[in-house]
Amino acid sequence: MAMQETTYRDALKLALSEAMTADDSVIVMGEEVGRYGGAYGVTKNLISEFGPERVIDTPISEAAIVGAAVGAAMTGLRPVAELMYVDFIGMTMDQLANQAAKIRYMFGGQIGVPMVLRTQGGTGRSAGAQHSQSLEGYVMHTPGLRLAMPATVEDAYHLLRQALQQPDPVVFIEHKGLYTMKGVLDPDVEPAEWGRAKVLREGKDLVIVTYSRQVHHALAAAEEMASKHGIEAAVVDLRTLNPLDFDTIRPLVEQAGRAMVVSEGVMTGGVAAELAARITEECFDFLEDPVVRVAGEDIPISVSPLLEQNSVPTPDLIVETARKMFA
């Protein structure tokens, strides 16, 4: 297939369609994934292509969706379950964290749970406190769950294809603010290795470690820092949080001596806290300053667009924080 311009949403749909064509064991299940085409349109028309036996509209029960997917994965299928919002992942934590994440260990390696749980997180739609959260920390905290968070059209496609080849459960969180973003996709190019971070911008003064939509904010901030303030910042897109590629982060931080972690999740006990602690432990002798976290406020997300926007990191906040590091 030739290189093409497409959207984040359509890159995900292409990955699903190709996987289902190549492997009859791949099924899709969730609320309104069939006739409606999914809450964000990712599964649109898949039911016409593969039929209701493989694109399954489920009741409105997150526990049932994930529980059925776990059972299907244990008995030979490779289900892709969709939760409409990551905010509802708490409804599934027994099935996901106590069952899917632990079955390989509990069965002595005799059986795994090769499923993908697709869900949507993040702010940007004024959807209110119960539909705007970034709860990847829940998943990262649970051993046995893999976690992918693509920031680009290219990674939306390739990471989903790779997730569908993993022997263990993968939680695949898509930022709801990225679905209409356009980019160039070459499905035939050799993708980056599963679990490998990408250095999207080189810089000798500061290393910004981030993922998902904040990658784009970090890149915009880095360009402004360079053009207006003479600060050259490297930007690392983690792509997956489990596996976590610290081997890419370490040498960059050792060279620059300063690091910033940017996450849309909350500040307290979040992903940014774990990454900052890890950088501090492993790069302490090379750090000129403490590792700085730029993360979401410890508050429920407001439905007000202005309050919502400023409750999570913005390019302006990243620039302001970086300038303070060099003051």
Side-chain angles (χ1 to χ4, degrees):
M1 187 177 296
M3 185 180 297
Q4 56 189 288
E5 183 180 62
T6 188
T7 63
Y8 187 95
R9 173 193 291 119
D10 288 340
L12 293 165
K13 179 183 175 182
L14 179 62
L16 285 173
S17 177
E18 289 184 354
M20 295 179 76
T21 299
D23 183 353
D24 289 342
S25 71
V26 178
I27 63 171
V28 172
M29 57 195 302
E31 299 170 30
E32 299 182 336
V33 298
R35 287 176 294 176
Y36 185 73
Y40 289 92
V42 172
T43 57
K44 188 176 181 179
N45 297 327
L46 288 184
I47 194 168
S48 299
E49 189 175 354
F50 298 103
E53 296 81 14
R54 295 182 64 196
V55 182
I56 304 167
D57 282 318
T58 67
I60 304 174
S61 172
E62 289 78 14
I65 294 166
V66 176
V70 172
M74 292 177 69
T75 52
L77 296 177
R78 191 175 280 275
V80 181
E82 179 176 340
L83 293 187
M84 198 172 288
Y85 293 97
V86 76
D87 307 73
F88 305 147
I89 202 169
M91 306 282 287
T92 77
M93 288 307 276
D94 182 63
Q95 291 83 354
L96 187 64
N98 277 340
Q99 306 303 327
K102 296 175 173 61
I103 280 172
R104 181 176 294 282
Y105 173 77
M106 298 294 288
F107 282 76
Q110 298 178 80
I111 193 170
V113 184
M115 63 173 279
V116 174
L117 177 60
R118 285 186 51 246
T119 189
Q120 300 80 27
T123 62
R125 295 177 61 90
S126 297
Q130 296 173 326
H131 297 78
S132 303
Q133 297 173 88
S134 298
L135 300 181
E136 57 266 20
Y138 286 21
V139 180
M140 193 177 182
H141 181 74
T142 305
L145 297 178
R146 303 303 186 191
L147 175 57
M149 298 191 67
T152 65
V153 168
E154 180 183 34
D155 275 344
Y157 172 83
H158 288 295
L159 281 176
L160 186 52
R161 289 302 307 267
Q162 290 173 326
L164 281 161
Q165 298 169 8
Q166 301 306 308
D168 296 307
V170 178
V171 179
F172 196 93
I173 303 179
E174 304 149 13
H175 197 289
K176 60 176 70 74
L178 296 179
Y179 283 115
T180 59
M181 180 185 69
K182 291 184 177 181
V184 174
L185 171 65
D186 184 352
D188 298 323
V189 74
E190 184 69 24
E193 182 183 348
W194 170 258
R196 182 68 64 189
K198 287 183 179 178
V199 181
L200 300 184
R201 189 183 193 280
E202 300 285 349
K204 60 181 177 57
D205 300 319
L206 171 67
V207 180
I208 303 175
V209 181
T210 187
Y211 57 93
S212 191
R213 185 179 66 165
Q214 289 299 328
V215 166
H216 304 284
H217 289 354
L219 288 169
E223 291 302 320
E224 181 175 340
M225 283 183 238
S227 63
K228 295 183 179 180
H229 307 293
I231 301 170
E232 290 292 344
V235 176
V236 179
D237 177 6
L238 291 172
R239 303 175 66 245
T240 62
L241 297 180
N242 186 346
L244 178 64
D245 176 17
F246 203 79
D247 289 339
T248 294
I249 300 169
R250 185 186 298 106
L252 295 172
V253 175
E254 290 176 355
Q255 180 183 24
R258 290 181 175 87
M260 176 192 295
V261 181
V262 182
S263 169
E264 197 163 312
V266 295
M267 177 75 78
T268 301
V271 172
E274 171 60 27
L275 294 171
R278 182 84 181 270
I279 293 170
T280 301
E281 288 175 350
E282 299 202 22
C283 304
F284 183 81
D285 290 341
F286 298 89
L287 291 172
E288 300 289 341
D289 291 300
V291 180
V292 173
R293 291 176 292 160
V294 182
E297 299 282 352
D298 290 331
I299 57 174
I301 302 295
S302 174
V303 73
S304 159
L306 185 60
L307 290 176
E308 178 190 42
Q309 177 184 335
N310 288 284
S311 65
V312 297
T314 62
D316 288 345
L317 180 59
I318 296 169
V319 171
E320 178 185 343
T321 305
R323 291 185 66 190
K324 289 178 180 179
M325 295 176 72
F326 289 88

